[in-house]
Amino acid sequence: MAQFTKDMTIGEMLQINPAVAPVLMEAGMHCLGCPSAQGESLEEAALVHGIDVDELMDKLAEL
């Protein structure tokens, strides 16, 4: 399985493994299908949503 990075876009992550969707939604990212989410990096999205990107990376690593 591919490893996720902070600079990957949400869209890329969803293409690689759709199972990231529930993890991201649980973290507070509820608009995964919007154009902004498809083009912004995980780190940018985490910043906008006030989420600790390192904690989110830990959860994604468990997939």
Side-chain angles (χ1 to χ4, degrees):
M1 178 60 57
Q3 182 175 347
F4 300 115
T5 63
K6 295 177 189 178
D7 63 336
M8 291 179 80
T9 66
I10 303 297
E12 289 172 328
M13 295 173 71
L14 289 168
Q15 286 180 340
I16 291 170
N17 186 350
V20 302
V23 175
L24 296 177
M25 291 186 72
E26 183 179 302
M29 297 181 189
H30 298 178
C31 54
L32 300 179
C34 75
S36 294
Q38 295 299 305
E40 71 186 351
S41 72
L42 179 65
E43 191 164 33
E44 292 167 334
L47 179 64
V48 168
H49 288 72
I51 299 167
D52 183 319
V53 71
D54 293 318
E55 286 181 19
L56 187 53
M57 291 295 295
D58 289 343
K59 289 179 183 177
L60 291 170
E62 294 175 11
L63 291 178

